[in-house]
Short mmCIF file of all heavy atoms in Angstrom, two decimals:
data_model
loop_
_atom_site.label_atom_id
_atom_site.label_comp_id
_atom_site.label_asym_id
_atom_site.label_seq_id
_atom_site.Cartn_x
_atom_site.Cartn_y
_atom_site.Cartn_z
N THR A 22 -47.83 -101.86 -74.53
CA THR A 22 -48.26 -102.05 -73.15
C THR A 22 -48.60 -103.53 -72.93
O THR A 22 -48.85 -104.28 -73.88
CB THR A 22 -49.50 -101.21 -72.84
OG1 THR A 22 -50.60 -101.68 -73.65
CG2 THR A 22 -49.25 -99.74 -73.13
N THR A 23 -48.62 -103.94 -71.67
CA THR A 23 -49.04 -105.30 -71.37
C THR A 23 -50.49 -105.52 -71.80
O THR A 23 -50.87 -106.62 -72.20
CB THR A 23 -48.90 -105.61 -69.87
OG1 THR A 23 -49.60 -104.61 -69.12
CG2 THR A 23 -47.43 -105.62 -69.45
N GLY A 24 -51.27 -104.45 -71.75
CA GLY A 24 -52.67 -104.54 -72.18
C GLY A 24 -52.81 -104.89 -73.65
O GLY A 24 -53.82 -105.46 -74.06
N ALA A 25 -51.79 -104.56 -74.45
CA ALA A 25 -51.82 -104.90 -75.87
C ALA A 25 -51.43 -106.36 -76.11
O ALA A 25 -51.74 -106.93 -77.16
CB ALA A 25 -50.88 -103.98 -76.66
N ILE A 26 -50.75 -106.97 -75.14
CA ILE A 26 -50.32 -108.36 -75.29
C ILE A 26 -51.40 -109.35 -74.87
O ILE A 26 -51.61 -110.37 -75.52
CB ILE A 26 -49.03 -108.61 -74.47
CG1 ILE A 26 -47.88 -107.75 -75.01
CG2 ILE A 26 -48.65 -110.09 -74.53
CD1 ILE A 26 -46.58 -107.93 -74.26
N TYR A 27 -52.10 -109.04 -73.79
CA TYR A 27 -53.03 -110.01 -73.22
C TYR A 27 -54.15 -110.47 -74.17
O TYR A 27 -54.57 -111.63 -74.07
CB TYR A 27 -53.61 -109.48 -71.92
CG TYR A 27 -52.66 -109.61 -70.76
CD1 TYR A 27 -52.13 -108.49 -70.12
CD2 TYR A 27 -52.25 -110.87 -70.31
CE1 TYR A 27 -51.23 -108.62 -69.07
CE2 TYR A 27 -51.35 -111.01 -69.26
CZ TYR A 27 -50.85 -109.89 -68.64
OH TYR A 27 -49.96 -110.02 -67.60
N PRO A 28 -54.63 -109.65 -75.09
CA PRO A 28 -55.62 -110.19 -76.04
C PRO A 28 -55.03 -111.24 -76.99
O PRO A 28 -55.77 -112.02 -77.59
CB PRO A 28 -56.06 -108.94 -76.82
CG PRO A 28 -55.77 -107.79 -75.93
CD PRO A 28 -54.51 -108.18 -75.21
N VAL A 29 -53.71 -111.25 -77.11
CA VAL A 29 -53.03 -112.18 -78.02
C VAL A 29 -52.52 -113.40 -77.26
O VAL A 29 -52.67 -114.55 -77.70
CB VAL A 29 -51.86 -111.48 -78.74
CG1 VAL A 29 -51.24 -112.41 -79.79
CG2 VAL A 29 -52.32 -110.18 -79.37
N PHE A 30 -51.89 -113.17 -76.11
CA PHE A 30 -51.35 -114.24 -75.26
C PHE A 30 -51.77 -113.96 -73.82
O PHE A 30 -51.57 -112.85 -73.34
CB PHE A 30 -49.83 -114.29 -75.34
CG PHE A 30 -49.28 -114.60 -76.71
CD1 PHE A 30 -48.73 -113.59 -77.50
CD2 PHE A 30 -49.30 -115.90 -77.21
CE1 PHE A 30 -48.22 -113.88 -78.75
CE2 PHE A 30 -48.79 -116.19 -78.46
CZ PHE A 30 -48.25 -115.18 -79.24
N GLU A 31 -52.27 -114.99 -73.16
CA GLU A 31 -52.76 -114.77 -71.80
C GLU A 31 -51.65 -114.69 -70.77
O GLU A 31 -51.89 -114.32 -69.62
CB GLU A 31 -53.75 -115.86 -71.39
CG GLU A 31 -53.15 -117.24 -71.16
CD GLU A 31 -53.17 -118.12 -72.39
OE1 GLU A 31 -53.18 -117.55 -73.51
OE2 GLU A 31 -53.18 -119.36 -72.24
N GLY A 32 -50.44 -115.04 -71.16
CA GLY A 32 -49.32 -114.96 -70.23
C GLY A 32 -48.03 -115.35 -70.91
O GLY A 32 -48.01 -115.76 -72.08
N LYS A 33 -46.93 -115.23 -70.16
CA LYS A 33 -45.63 -115.52 -70.76
C LYS A 33 -45.50 -117.00 -71.11
O LYS A 33 -44.78 -117.35 -72.05
CB LYS A 33 -44.51 -115.09 -69.82
CG LYS A 33 -44.44 -115.85 -68.50
CD LYS A 33 -43.27 -115.39 -67.65
CE LYS A 33 -43.16 -116.21 -66.36
NZ LYS A 33 -42.01 -115.78 -65.53
N GLU A 34 -46.20 -117.86 -70.37
CA GLU A 34 -46.15 -119.29 -70.68
C GLU A 34 -46.75 -119.57 -72.05
O GLU A 34 -46.25 -120.42 -72.79
CB GLU A 34 -46.89 -120.09 -69.60
CG GLU A 34 -46.23 -120.05 -68.24
CD GLU A 34 -46.57 -118.80 -67.45
OE1 GLU A 34 -47.46 -118.04 -67.89
OE2 GLU A 34 -45.95 -118.57 -66.40
N ALA A 35 -47.82 -118.85 -72.39
CA ALA A 35 -48.45 -119.03 -73.71
C ALA A 35 -47.51 -118.56 -74.82
O ALA A 35 -47.44 -119.16 -75.89
CB ALA A 35 -49.76 -118.26 -73.77
N ILE A 36 -46.77 -117.48 -74.56
CA ILE A 36 -45.80 -116.99 -75.54
C ILE A 36 -44.68 -118.01 -75.71
O ILE A 36 -44.28 -118.33 -76.84
CB ILE A 36 -45.22 -115.63 -75.09
CG1 ILE A 36 -46.33 -114.58 -74.98
CG2 ILE A 36 -44.15 -115.17 -76.07
CD1 ILE A 36 -45.86 -113.26 -74.39
N TYR A 37 -44.18 -118.51 -74.61
CA TYR A 37 -43.11 -119.51 -74.64
C TYR A 37 -43.55 -120.75 -75.41
O TYR A 37 -42.81 -121.28 -76.24
CB TYR A 37 -42.74 -119.87 -73.20
CG TYR A 37 -41.38 -120.51 -73.05
CD1 TYR A 37 -40.25 -119.73 -72.80
CD2 TYR A 37 -41.23 -121.88 -73.15
CE1 TYR A 37 -39.01 -120.31 -72.64
CE2 TYR A 37 -39.99 -122.47 -72.99
CZ TYR A 37 -38.88 -121.68 -72.73
OH TYR A 37 -37.64 -122.26 -72.59
N ALA A 38 -44.77 -121.19 -75.13
CA ALA A 38 -45.29 -122.37 -75.82
C ALA A 38 -45.43 -122.12 -77.31
O ALA A 38 -45.17 -123.02 -78.13
CB ALA A 38 -46.64 -122.77 -75.22
N ALA A 39 -45.84 -120.92 -77.70
CA ALA A 39 -45.98 -120.59 -79.12
C ALA A 39 -44.63 -120.62 -79.82
O ALA A 39 -44.51 -121.11 -80.95
CB ALA A 39 -46.63 -119.21 -79.28
N LEU A 40 -43.60 -120.10 -79.16
CA LEU A 40 -42.25 -120.15 -79.73
C LEU A 40 -41.76 -121.58 -79.87
O LEU A 40 -41.17 -121.96 -80.90
CB LEU A 40 -41.29 -119.36 -78.85
CG LEU A 40 -41.44 -117.84 -78.86
CD1 LEU A 40 -40.57 -117.21 -77.77
CD2 LEU A 40 -41.08 -117.26 -80.23
N LEU A 41 -42.01 -122.38 -78.86
CA LEU A 41 -41.55 -123.77 -78.90
C LEU A 41 -42.34 -124.58 -79.92
O LEU A 41 -41.77 -125.43 -80.62
CB LEU A 41 -41.67 -124.39 -77.52
CG LEU A 41 -41.00 -125.75 -77.30
CD1 LEU A 41 -39.57 -125.74 -77.81
CD2 LEU A 41 -41.03 -126.13 -75.83
N GLU A 42 -43.64 -124.30 -80.05
CA GLU A 42 -44.44 -125.00 -81.06
C GLU A 42 -43.91 -124.70 -82.46
O GLU A 42 -43.79 -125.59 -83.30
CB GLU A 42 -45.90 -124.57 -80.94
CG GLU A 42 -46.81 -125.24 -81.97
CD GLU A 42 -48.26 -124.81 -81.84
OE1 GLU A 42 -48.56 -123.94 -81.00
OE2 GLU A 42 -49.09 -125.34 -82.60
N ARG A 43 -43.59 -123.44 -82.70
CA ARG A 43 -43.05 -123.05 -84.01
C ARG A 43 -41.71 -123.74 -84.25
O ARG A 43 -41.44 -124.22 -85.36
CB ARG A 43 -42.88 -121.53 -84.06
CG ARG A 43 -42.22 -121.03 -85.32
CD ARG A 43 -42.10 -119.52 -85.31
NE ARG A 43 -43.39 -118.87 -85.42
CZ ARG A 43 -43.56 -117.55 -85.47
NH1 ARG A 43 -42.52 -116.74 -85.42
NH2 ARG A 43 -44.77 -117.03 -85.58
N SER A 44 -40.88 -123.82 -83.22
CA SER A 44 -39.58 -124.46 -83.34
C SER A 44 -39.72 -125.94 -83.67
O SER A 44 -39.06 -126.47 -84.57
CB SER A 44 -38.80 -124.28 -82.04
OG SER A 44 -37.63 -125.07 -82.05
N LEU A 45 -40.58 -126.64 -82.94
CA LEU A 45 -40.76 -128.07 -83.16
C LEU A 45 -41.36 -128.38 -84.52
O LEU A 45 -41.05 -129.40 -85.13
CB LEU A 45 -41.63 -128.66 -82.05
CG LEU A 45 -40.96 -128.71 -80.67
CD1 LEU A 45 -41.98 -129.09 -79.59
CD2 LEU A 45 -39.80 -129.68 -80.66
N THR A 46 -42.19 -127.47 -85.01
CA THR A 46 -42.76 -127.64 -86.35
C THR A 46 -41.66 -127.50 -87.41
O THR A 46 -41.59 -128.29 -88.36
CB THR A 46 -43.88 -126.62 -86.60
OG1 THR A 46 -44.91 -126.81 -85.63
CG2 THR A 46 -44.46 -126.76 -88.00
N GLY A 47 -40.79 -126.50 -87.23
CA GLY A 47 -39.67 -126.33 -88.16
C GLY A 47 -38.71 -127.49 -88.11
O GLY A 47 -38.20 -127.94 -89.14
N LEU A 48 -38.46 -128.01 -86.91
CA LEU A 48 -37.60 -129.18 -86.75
C LEU A 48 -38.16 -130.38 -87.50
O LEU A 48 -37.44 -131.06 -88.23
CB LEU A 48 -37.45 -129.51 -85.27
CG LEU A 48 -36.73 -130.81 -84.93
CD1 LEU A 48 -35.26 -130.72 -85.29
CD2 LEU A 48 -36.88 -131.14 -83.44
N HIS A 49 -39.44 -130.61 -87.33
CA HIS A 49 -40.07 -131.76 -87.99
C HIS A 49 -39.96 -131.64 -89.50
O HIS A 49 -39.64 -132.62 -90.18
CB HIS A 49 -41.54 -131.85 -87.58
CG HIS A 49 -42.25 -133.02 -88.21
ND1 HIS A 49 -42.90 -132.92 -89.42
CD2 HIS A 49 -42.40 -134.31 -87.81
CE1 HIS A 49 -43.43 -134.09 -89.73
NE2 HIS A 49 -43.13 -134.95 -88.78
N THR A 50 -40.19 -130.47 -90.04
CA THR A 50 -40.11 -130.27 -91.48
C THR A 50 -38.72 -130.59 -92.00
O THR A 50 -38.55 -131.30 -93.00
CB THR A 50 -40.48 -128.82 -91.84
OG1 THR A 50 -41.84 -128.58 -91.44
CG2 THR A 50 -40.34 -128.58 -93.34
N GLN A 51 -37.69 -130.07 -91.32
CA GLN A 51 -36.31 -130.28 -91.78
C GLN A 51 -35.92 -131.75 -91.70
O GLN A 51 -35.29 -132.29 -92.63
CB GLN A 51 -35.35 -129.43 -90.94
CG GLN A 51 -33.91 -129.52 -91.39
CD GLN A 51 -33.07 -128.35 -90.93
OE1 GLN A 51 -33.47 -127.20 -91.08
NE2 GLN A 51 -31.92 -128.62 -90.35
N VAL A 52 -36.28 -132.42 -90.62
CA VAL A 52 -35.93 -133.83 -90.46
C VAL A 52 -36.68 -134.70 -91.46
O VAL A 52 -36.11 -135.61 -92.07
CB VAL A 52 -36.21 -134.29 -89.02
CG1 VAL A 52 -36.04 -135.80 -88.88
CG2 VAL A 52 -35.29 -133.58 -88.04
#
């Protein structure tokens, strides 16, 4: 349910940012 997501991420923007943060961290490591 959406109620199960909100305690973890306050919105879709927070989820998007978390994915992008993980991606940029992986990019930095490889480079």
Side-chain angles (χ1 to χ4, degrees):
T22 65
T23 54
I26 297 180
Y27 281 115
V29 186
F30 297 104
E31 71 267 26
K33 65 178 183 179
E34 293 82 10
I36 299 173
Y37 200 91
L40 289 171
L41 191 49
E42 180 180 3
R43 175 180 291 182
S44 171
L45 290 171
T46 300
L48 172 68
H49 181 270
T50 298
Q51 183 159 311
V52 172

